[in-house]
Amino acid sequence: MNLTQLQSLIAVSEAGSFTAAADKLGVTQSGMSQALAALEESLGVKLLIRQPRGVELTAFGERALDHARTALSHLEAIEREAMALIGEETGAIRLAGFPSVFATVLPPLLRRFRTLHPGIDLVPLETDDLEVEAWLAAGSIDLGVVLNPSSSRNAVPLGRDAWVPILPAAHPLSRRPSVSLAELAAAPFVLATGGCHTNARSLADAEGLTLQNVQIEVRDWSSAIALVREGAGVSLVPESTLPEQQRGFRVSKLASPLHREFGLVASPMRPLSRAGTLFVELARRSAAPTSA
């Protein structure tokens, strides 16, 4: 038996077919078939049953699979300990965030971390803000970027973003130095969510207001900005999402400013690994200063 054979057995059991398993391991289908055939021949026992729609393990194949996983786990432990001995960190981190943080604050942090710790497998997961919270609560992820974390959560601050009104250049409100949330809520409105449940609608609800005339609802901030530029309505977007080219629309200020804050939070349901601790430490050193 060899490592390739054990990896092939595990991959086939998880993928259910030789083709998908070979793609997962980055080998040819024929090479994988030969490796598993050689394993069966050396053991003298059938491990797999080839079906028209895939592959199934025999009863002995299931038992062999448990041993293969254990063996592979021990081999990985040897590799981790060896790398730790020579000073190279290893491990894995599952990090979740919502779309706008993956478009703004996270990319430079992820690049820096991968440069510093190439041996750590960093798995970024993009979802909405409520699911980030759900995954943290369930322990499905190690770290998550959340909106407006309370002080009790010991979040590492990653940044602060002002909500700003944007208006078509010819809109009557565009000539004002600032506009109220109530005035925006009463106007034809382009609602963007940015993949978050915290958006203009929830901000209006919190103030006892209702967006009275939503012309269109989109996910991407850039789509909302393009629609405002074409005169479809006004909108409220995070300042960090504004493009450099602002021709065709006006950026105003809220009469009563509103902000959103990003914080990096560890799951309370699982101990933070050494790899996770290294990411938190880098985030803390790199934390952007808050702005008014």
Side-chain angles (χ1 to χ4, degrees):
M1 287 183 286
N2 59 48
L3 181 58
T4 299
Q5 292 169 341
L6 298 182
Q7 289 174 325
S8 298
L9 179 62
I10 295 169
V12 166
S13 72
E14 293 176 347
S17 74
F18 282 106
T19 301
D23 288 342
K24 183 177 180 180
L25 291 184
V27 299
T28 64
Q29 182 176 339
S30 62
M32 175 168 285
S33 296
Q34 292 171 11
L36 289 170
L39 179 59
E40 288 180 326
E41 184 177 352
S42 67
L43 293 173
V45 180
K46 292 289 291 181
L47 299 171
L48 304 166
I49 301 174
R50 291 153 178 82
Q51 302 283 15
R53 294 189 176 182
V55 182
E56 294 181 1
L57 295 180
T58 64
F60 180 78
E62 292 285 356
R63 297 200 300 274
L65 176 64
D66 290 337
H67 291 302
R69 284 176 169 155
T70 299
L72 193 61
S73 175
H74 286 307
L75 289 172
E76 290 173 348
I78 292 171
E79 183 181 30
R80 285 195 301 271
E81 290 185 22
M83 295 182 78
L85 190 62
I86 62 176
E88 185 170 345
E89 299 284 357
T90 61
I93 305 170
R94 290 170 61 84
L95 167 69
F98 39 93
S100 58
V101 294
F102 275 111
T104 53
V105 300
L106 279 181
L109 186 60
L110 298 181
R111 285 195 298 271
R112 178 63 176 157
F113 186 81
R114 285 171 170 147
T115 299
L116 291 173
H117 305 289
I120 294 177
D121 185 18
L122 181 57
V123 183
L125 303 166
E126 183 180 289
T127 184
D128 62 56
D129 53 340
L130 293 187
E131 193 158 35
V132 172
E133 295 283 14
W135 287 352
L136 284 168
S140 304
I141 55 177
D142 301 286
L143 298 165
V145 180
V146 303
L147 276 175
N148 305 320
S150 64
S151 57
S152 63
R153 301 184 73 178
N154 297 318
V156 177
L158 297 181
R160 190 169 188 244
D161 206 4
W163 289 95
V164 294
I166 58 172
L167 311 103
H171 196 282
L173 292 176
S174 68
R175 292 186 287 273
R176 301 260 300 276
S178 66
V179 296
S180 69
L181 189 56
E183 289 172 313
L184 291 174
F189 203 92
V190 177
L191 176 63
T193 65
C196 289
H197 290 75
T198 300
N199 52 60
R201 177 174 281 144
S202 66
L203 294 172
D205 289 345
E207 297 294 325
L209 302 169
T210 301
L211 299 183
Q212 300 173 25
N213 189 7
V214 175
Q215 299 291 298
I216 187 170
E217 180 174 336
V218 295
R219 177 183 175 89
D220 292 338
W221 302 114
S222 59
S223 298
I225 293 168
L227 288 163
V228 171
R229 183 180 276 123
E230 294 301 318
V234 304
S235 192
L236 187 68
V237 303
E239 189 173 22
S240 65
T241 66
L242 293 174
E244 291 185 11
Q245 175 54 258
Q246 297 179 8
R247 182 177 302 170
F249 70 96
R250 295 287 301 276
V251 180
S252 185
K253 295 182 179 180
L254 282 176
S256 298
L258 294 172
H259 297 83
R260 61 178 192 164
E261 296 182 352
F262 313 125
L264 182 67
V265 174
S267 170
M269 302 305 295
R270 55 196 297 174
L272 191 59
S273 65
R274 169 65 178 164
T277 299
L278 287 171
F279 190 88
V280 169
E281 290 174 351
L282 177 63
R284 186 172 284 114
R285 294 195 303 269
S286 306
T290 59
S291 59

